[in-house]
Amino acid sequence: MGGCFSDVRGGQQAVGGVQQGPNSAVTNNNGGHNDAVDYFYRSRGDVPMFTQLELSLSACKLRDCDFNSKSDPMAVVYAKNRDGKLHELGRTEVILNNLNPQWIMKVAVAFQFEVVQPLLFHVYDVDTKYYNVPLKSLKLKDQEFLGEASCVLSEIVTKQSRSLTLNLHNKQGQSGLRKLGTLTIQVEETVASRTVVELIFRCTQLENMDLFSKSDPFLRISRIVESGGSIPICKTEVVNNNLNPRWKPVCLGLQQFGSKENPLLIECFDFNSSGNHVLIGKLQKSVAELEQLIKERSSANFVKPSTHKEHEKILKGQLFVDHYHEKEQYGFLDYMASGFQLNFMVAVDFTASNGNPQNLDSLHYIDPAGRLNSYQQAIKEVGEVIQFYDSDRRFPACGFGGRTFNGTVSHCFNLNGSASVSEVEGVEGIMDAYTSALHNIALAGPTIFGPVINRAAQIAGQSLCQNSSQYYVLLIITDGVVTDLQETIDAVVRASDLPLSILIVGVGGADFKQMEILDADNGHRLESSKGRIATRDIVQFVSMREVHSGQISVVQSLLEELPGQFLTYMRNRDIKPCIPSINPFPPAVA
């Protein structure tokens, strides 16, 4: 890895532990992107934004298709792609003479929080003449079809039992007069362990690489692979102008370094804003050896390659481990399965710059043919993902920048027209309330975010006194430049202490540079007008221009940071999930 590995997005911000995606059981300790790891994978065209799961299947009261014995069932699992095509994920084994099978073979699936993942399950009675044929070679059209069921993967992972029982029906979607039985799906993560190692590193007598000041050191930790190369898994923050730095704690996940005996490459660099960081020194230690350093109260010297490849220069600079602690660190799915919920809220821009809703070129134009405008598209796509994490599916929906029925301009009014109740039923309820509001609200302005953020913060704040298992997600859809930028920043900074994330979708052709400031992806947290720094980054912004270009998905772009923001909030407050005891084959419900 060369010079600019570490500052694609994160600047000098600390990155304290690898993540294979925000949904992994172990993510970095500050909840942001691990830019070193992110760069490594993205440079190879691979963005691992998923958690590996295994599906266990069982069925109850299947239809008996055999004359002299019972059916011999096998289950097949499919993923449904966006274009509606089915992709087979796997098959179970065949169980002989059993109408209540509990299959042993698992089916692997990659869970992506930011994507709706429809699954289809087919159950077949396998003909006896195929018993010696490998499973993959079985022609399904030659087998007796027993029934099918479908669901979305999110429906399973959000259950406290991590299981879901579905009624089987025929391919026309009906069970008919005859009961076809039920299928139960149980999901488990395939991560090796939730164990993480928390470390605090310190260095002394580092070599000075700068002319007019001292070095600005940071550490990068990489896992050495069998091929001889290395994969970065962690980097610390930068300590400015210091040859004896001590960094904030970093967390290394067991599934990232494999075992405590696997060698790690620890490199110390002098930070340069250009991205051309200068190597101060490096050393190689396993996690077990790092643990030994603190036990023995000893240190390790950095080395530096010399001009001759076979020689290395031993440096005065030394690495110390001031803290070593092994602990369990829970992932996003652990919280969802133990009853934590995401509560969805929407705020829609009703400013005049959107154009008259009656005109075809308006961003609020409702197409009689059913084609969604940008506002409808954002509501539908984001809502369809988040709704599975909200049990009652009742969502507060408001507008801003519109002139309401009493003639005054409001920057936070209920879309459903109610003076008191803002909640609507489901994503369709939001869509209906939005369409209705276009007939009753006159577009006005200016574009002000402060009131809707403050309302969301008030709702999130009130929940703290009642239930710590609630987390709120505010979606703001806007076409304009924010006119209350400083007030908005102040509101975001105040809200950063609350269980709240803010997603902003920019529609139309406006200049959205101000949104990038709110997004704070440059490594600098927002600062209020009173000098207070945001506790964490809670804003994610995406422009629909990029979405419509086909380069990215609005849902994936908006939601990719949400699990990390959620985990940062929970871990900062030491809120732990209650992990349920899971029976791999719970009794199916007839």
Side-chain angles (χ1 to χ4, degrees):
M1 297 288 291
C4 63
F5 62 84
S6 66
D7 294 282
V8 179
R9 297 183 69 177
Q12 295 191 27
Q13 192 171 355
V15 178
V18 70
Q19 60 180 32
Q20 289 190 342
N23 311 316
S24 300
V26 179
T27 59
N28 57 52
N29 68 318
N30 69 351
H33 280 288
N34 187 327
D35 50 356
V37 178
D38 202 37
Y39 180 84
F40 177 83
Y41 284 112
R42 287 181 186 274
S43 67
R44 288 154 177 77
D46 180 18
V47 187
M49 304 288 289
F50 54 81
T51 296
Q52 287 290 351
L53 304 176
E54 282 184 340
L55 304 180
S56 299
L57 305 178
S58 63
C60 183
K61 299 183 180 179
L62 293 178
R63 184 162 55 97
D64 192 355
C65 294
D66 294 347
F67 292 108
N68 300 319
S69 62
K70 296 177 181 177
S71 294
D72 308 315
M74 176 187 75
V76 184
V77 183
Y78 299 93
K80 185 178 289 187
N81 299 330
R82 282 188 174 185
D83 58 6
K85 293 181 180 178
L86 297 180
H87 167 67
E88 184 177 322
L89 296 176
R91 304 178 180 188
T92 67
E93 76 278 17
V94 178
I95 296 183
L96 302 181
N97 301 321
N98 198 322
L99 302 183
N100 301 285
Q102 296 184 353
W103 290 284
I104 301 299
M105 292 180 66
K106 317 295 184 191
V107 176
V109 60
F111 169 74
Q112 292 180 269
F113 164 77
E114 66 275 15
V115 176
V116 177
Q117 296 175 270
L119 299 176
L120 180 66
F121 304 88
H122 282 180
V123 181
Y124 293 90
D125 174 22
V126 177
D127 194 293
T128 53
K129 66 182 180 182
Y130 294 102
Y131 285 173
N132 295 320
V133 177
L135 284 175
K136 287 288 185 183
S137 303
L138 278 178
K139 293 182 179 179
L140 298 178
K141 63 182 178 62
D142 295 334
Q143 316 308 319
E144 186 80 22
F145 182 74
L146 295 180
E148 72 174 22
S150 61
C151 69
V152 172
L153 184 56
S154 302
E155 293 182 78
I156 312 173
V157 300
T158 53
K159 300 290 184 184
Q160 291 198 30
S161 62
R162 293 205 183 183
S163 70
L164 181 67
T165 297
L166 303 168
N167 289 317
L168 290 168
H169 51 75
N170 60 33
K171 288 186 178 180
Q172 282 69 48
Q174 303 294 326
S175 60
L177 298 176
R178 213 175 153 190
K179 296 284 187 180
L180 301 183
T182 61
L183 181 73
T184 296
I185 309 102
Q186 178 77 48
V187 65
E188 292 180 288
E189 287 188 55
T190 57
V191 294
S193 173
R194 294 188 180 94
T195 300
V196 296
V197 176
E198 185 178 78
L199 297 149
I200 296 179
F201 291 110
R202 170 173 59 90
C203 286
T204 60
Q205 301 184 69
L206 292 178
E207 185 178 353
N208 191 15
M209 313 304 291
D210 295 341
L211 291 176
F212 304 108
S213 62
K214 296 176 182 176
S215 295
D216 306 316
F218 69 93
L219 299 178
R220 182 181 70 170
I221 303 173
S222 303
R223 183 180 76 250
I224 296 176
V225 295
E226 291 182 4
S227 62
S230 60
I231 298 175
I233 62 174
C234 172
K235 98 175 171 67
T236 67
E237 80 279 13
V238 175
V239 177
N240 290 319
N241 198 35
N242 197 325
L243 302 181
N244 300 285
R246 188 176 191 267
W247 290 278
K248 295 176 183 177
V250 296
C251 286
L252 304 179
L254 179 58
Q255 66 264 40
Q256 307 307 328
F257 56 81
S259 80
K260 293 173 71 172
E261 283 67 42
N262 284 355
L264 300 176
L265 176 65
I266 302 175
E267 299 166 291
C268 185
F269 289 91
D270 176 25
F271 176 88
N272 284 313
S273 57
S274 66
N276 296 317
H277 312 305
V278 179
L279 179 66
I280 298 175
K282 64 180 182 178
L283 57 86
Q284 185 173 308
K285 291 287 181 185
S286 67
V287 171
E289 290 172 323
L290 292 173
E291 182 182 16
Q292 200 62 27
L293 287 182
I294 192 168
K295 286 181 177 178
E296 297 176 351
R297 297 188 178 181
S298 59
S299 61
N301 285 82
F302 285 104
V303 298
K304 197 168 189 177
S306 67
T307 52
H308 302 289
K309 292 184 179 179
E310 66 273 15
H311 294 102
E312 288 184 329
K313 180 182 178 183
I314 299 177
L315 303 173
K316 290 183 179 180
Q318 293 181 312
L319 177 75
F320 292 81
V321 179
D322 282 354
H323 171 80
Y324 179 99
H325 178 57
E326 294 181 20
K327 61 182 181 180
E328 259 196 328
Q329 187 156 279
Y330 298 99
F332 180 73
L333 292 183
D334 292 320
Y335 287 91
M336 294 299 105
S338 65
F340 285 75
Q341 301 208 13
L342 301 181
N343 296 269
F344 186 42
M345 300 181 277
V346 175
V348 178
D349 186 338
F350 277 76
T351 57
S353 54
N354 284 281
N356 187 335
Q358 303 301 317
N359 298 335
L360 288 173
D361 59 353
S362 171
L363 294 170
H364 281 309
Y365 178 71
I366 304 297
D367 188 347
R371 183 179 177 181
L372 302 182
N373 64 35
S374 294
Y375 285 91
Q376 291 172 311
Q377 183 181 345
I379 292 169
K380 184 174 185 292
E381 292 191 12
V382 177
E384 282 183 344
V385 171
I386 295 183
Q387 66 177 340
F388 294 107
Y389 303 89
D390 190 332
S391 60
D392 67 3
R393 300 192 183 180
R394 295 189 60 81
F395 311 126
C398 66
F400 59 93
R403 193 177 303 278
T404 57
F405 64 92
N406 61 8
T408 61
V409 175
S410 172
H411 298 292
C412 188
F413 57 88
N414 296 332
L415 281 186
N416 60 7
S418 170
S420 56
V421 180
S422 64
E423 291 183 340
V424 296
E425 191 77 37
V427 177
E428 287 305 316
I430 302 175
M431 300 282 273
D432 292 343
Y434 163 67
T435 303
S436 176
L438 288 174
H439 296 293
N440 299 302
I441 303 296
L443 305 188
T447 304
I448 295 176
F449 283 179
V452 293
I453 294 176
N454 287 334
R455 177 192 274 194
Q458 181 183 19
I459 295 172
Q462 288 172 347
S463 75
L464 292 178
C465 304
Q466 303 161 3
N467 193 342
S468 62
S469 65
Q470 303 296 314
Y471 192 89
Y472 293 82
V473 181
L474 170 64
L475 172 64
I476 300 176
I477 316 171
T478 183
D479 85 311
V481 178
V482 181
T483 56
D484 67 332
L485 181 60
Q486 188 56 59
E487 290 82 358
T488 298
I489 291 174
D490 290 349
V492 170
V493 171
R494 287 193 298 270
S496 67
D497 284 330
L498 298 170
L500 174 69
S501 287
I502 301 170
L503 313 176
I504 304 175
V505 175
V507 298
D511 182 355
F512 292 116
K513 286 182 180 178
Q514 289 181 335
M515 302 303 177
E516 300 294 346
I517 296 173
L518 295 175
D519 200 327
D521 270 346
N522 59 0
H524 298 285
R525 292 181 182 171
L526 292 178
E527 182 176 349
S528 73
S529 55
K530 296 182 179 179
R532 183 185 170 193
I533 305 296
T535 306
R536 59 196 177 94
D537 174 23
I538 65 170
V539 178
Q540 177 73 350
F541 168 77
V542 66
S543 167
M544 286 294 265
R545 284 197 300 268
E546 299 175 32
V547 175
H548 288 154
S549 70
Q551 298 301 309
I552 57 175
S553 156
V554 61
V555 173
Q556 288 178 283
S557 300
L558 274 177
L559 300 181
E560 64 179 1
E561 293 185 8
L562 184 54
Q565 292 175 0
F566 172 92
L567 288 173
T568 302
Y569 177 83
M570 296 300 167
R571 290 171 183 168
N572 285 351
R573 284 150 187 79
D574 198 29
I575 300 173
K576 294 182 173 63
C578 178
I579 303 298
S581 176
I582 297 175
N583 176 1
F585 291 107
V589 179

